[in-house]
Amino acid sequence: MSNTTENAMTIATPVGNSIPPNHTIYVNNLNGKIKKQQLRKSLYNLFVSYGRVVGIIAMKGVKMRGQAFIVFDDIQNSTAALRSLQGIMFYDKPMRLSYAKRDSDAIRHSKDQIAEKTAALAATSQPEPKQRKEKPRIPPPPTQPPPDRTVHEQHIAMMNSEEVNRAANAVAVAEAELQELPLRDRTRRIQSVIAAQTTLIGTAVPMMTEVQSNSTLFVTNLPNETTREALEELFHQYSGYLDVRLVPGREGIAFIDFDNEIGASSAKDALNGFKISATNLISVSFAKK
């Protein structure tokens, strides 16, 4: 037995009420038949409920058998443990607890060794916390030059033309009248509504019938309250999405820019005829270049 161990035992022996409270508790009258590793684990499980245990020293030498030192990170925690566990039955023997005379003698062993052993002991007594999975970061789309403003302005002028507005008004009037007719008279009027709508489509977007595929989509029949954020949420799921361009002063239409024709084509095929509201099926086609 080394002199260090003997000194630690001597210093820890209770001396009346002269020992002031400190971080380290000296425990004796332990069952000497319990294996050292099992004893340390059981002591840790018992004392950790009173606060953070930063070290447990238990030796199997002849002079130190049945004794241990419990080191807390806070004096209040060590005091609470001493008062609560004094005389408690532990492996069929009542424990005797007191403050160690000096922390420095009670924990003379290397701090690194104590931390390593205590961490290993805690790992065998408590489940490991679940690791949070990091969500993959989505890189931003590559920057692209702004779209051709000339084409954009041509679309705006076309949709604001007097001829288009007259055709749109005719369709609205025809549909309103249709709702007022009895069921038996609606068939003939439906034909006139279809004809008016055909005129509107042919006048408003004549370029859409045979337009070559490109990276810009033209969306029509949007609800008046449609926001930029709503369209971004709808189209950003397709590869190569870049931007949404609403037309100032003209509700119900928008342009969607992609950085490649494949992504634009996929979005067009998937969303053409999509029911964006209870009464609106959007029309998605390639914009004229």
Side-chain angles (χ1 to χ4, degrees), residues 192-211:
S192 65
V193 172
I194 293 174
Q197 290 176 331
T198 302
T199 301
L200 172 60
I201 295 172
T203 304
V205 285
M207 76 293 289
M208 296 304 169
T209 55
E210 296 181 359
V211 175

Side-chain angles (χ1 to χ4, degrees), residues 256-277:
I256 314 298
D257 295 313
F258 288 78
D259 66 1
N260 62 83
E261 295 182 8
I262 297 176
S265 180
S266 298
K268 181 183 80 69
D269 294 341
L271 296 177
N272 187 32
F274 177 79
K275 192 172 185 180
I276 197 170
S277 71

Side-chain angles (χ1 to χ4, degrees), residues 178 181 183-193:
L178 183 64
L181 291 176
L183 181 61
R184 64 178 180 274
D185 295 332
R186 291 187 183 181
T187 303
R188 287 182 301 171
R189 297 304 299 272
I190 288 174
Q191 294 176 354
S192 65
V193 172

Side-chain angles (χ1 to χ4, degrees), residues 118-191:
T118 304
L121 184 61
T124 62
S125 305
Q126 299 177 356
E128 294 184 359
K130 295 182 178 179
Q131 297 292 330
R132 294 182 60 184
K133 294 183 178 180
E134 293 288 338
K135 293 184 178 181
R137 295 185 60 187
I138 302 175
T143 57
Q144 295 290 325
D148 188 352
R149 292 191 60 84
T150 302
V151 175
H152 179 50
E153 291 168 355
Q154 288 176 354
H155 281 295
I156 295 175
M158 176 194 66
M159 294 308 296
N160 284 311
S161 67
E162 183 179 354
E163 187 177 1
V164 171
N165 289 331
R166 284 201 304 269
N169 292 335
V171 171
V173 171
E175 289 180 340
E177 292 177 354
L178 183 64
Q179 298 300 322
E180 301 297 328
L181 291 176
L183 181 61
R184 64 178 180 274
D185 295 332
R186 291 187 183 181
T187 303
R188 287 182 301 171
R189 297 304 299 272
I190 288 174
Q191 294 176 354

Side-chain angles (χ1 to χ4, degrees), residues 14-187:
V15 185
N17 296 323
S18 61
I19 303 177
N22 59 63
H23 298 78
T24 305
I25 294 178
Y26 167 68
V27 185
N28 66 355
N29 200 38
L30 297 173
N31 193 328
K33 297 180 180 180
I34 307 302
K35 292 183 179 180
K36 176 181 176 180
Q37 185 62 25
Q38 180 62 34
L39 178 63
R40 294 179 68 250
K41 182 177 180 180
S42 298
L43 286 171
Y44 178 87
N45 290 335
L46 179 63
F47 281 87
V48 75
S49 60
Y50 294 92
R52 181 168 175 256
V53 175
V54 299
I56 295 178
I57 301 172
M59 304 179 200
K60 293 294 289 183
V62 176
K63 292 186 177 182
M64 291 298 294
R65 185 175 300 168
Q67 304 171 65
F69 295 94
I70 315 297
V71 185
F72 284 91
D73 67 337
D74 188 273
I75 293 178
Q76 292 183 351
N77 297 336
S78 63
T79 300
L82 187 148
R83 293 175 178 175
S84 300
L85 299 178
Q86 186 70 264
I88 192 173
M89 297 298 293
F90 186 73
Y91 285 112
D92 301 323
K93 298 188 70 176
M95 289 195 303
R96 299 194 185 102
L97 285 73
S98 64
Y99 295 112
K101 189 172 182 180
R102 290 198 306 270
D103 279 342
S104 57
D105 289 334
I107 56 173
R108 184 178 295 276
H109 289 280
S110 168
K111 292 182 179 180
D112 292 338
Q113 290 180 342
I114 293 176
E116 181 180 348
K117 292 180 180 180
T118 304
L121 184 61
T124 62
S125 305
Q126 299 177 356
E128 294 184 359
K130 295 182 178 179
Q131 297 292 330
R132 294 182 60 184
K133 294 183 178 180
E134 293 288 338
K135 293 184 178 181
R137 295 185 60 187
I138 302 175
T143 57
Q144 295 290 325
D148 188 352
R149 292 191 60 84
T150 302
V151 175
H152 179 50
E153 291 168 355
Q154 288 176 354
H155 281 295
I156 295 175
M158 176 194 66
M159 294 308 296
N160 284 311
S161 67
E162 183 179 354
E163 187 177 1
V164 171
N165 289 331
R166 284 201 304 269
N169 292 335
V171 171
V173 171
E175 289 180 340
E177 292 177 354
L178 183 64
Q179 298 300 322
E180 301 297 328
L181 291 176
L183 181 61
R184 64 178 180 274
D185 295 332
R186 291 187 183 181
T187 303

Side-chain angles (χ1 to χ4, degrees), residues 228-275:
R228 176 188 180 88
E229 290 73 18
L231 290 175
E232 287 180 339
E233 185 68 19
L234 188 62
F235 284 90
H236 89 282
Q237 58 187 312
Y238 298 97
S239 174
Y241 166 80
L242 288 180
D243 193 21
V244 168
R245 290 182 286 132
L246 300 177
V247 180
R250 184 68 180 179
E251 297 176 332
I253 65 174
F255 294 91
I256 314 298
D257 295 313
F258 288 78
D259 66 1
N260 62 83
E261 295 182 8
I262 297 176
S265 180
S266 298
K268 181 183 80 69
D269 294 341
L271 296 177
N272 187 32
F274 177 79
K275 192 172 185 180

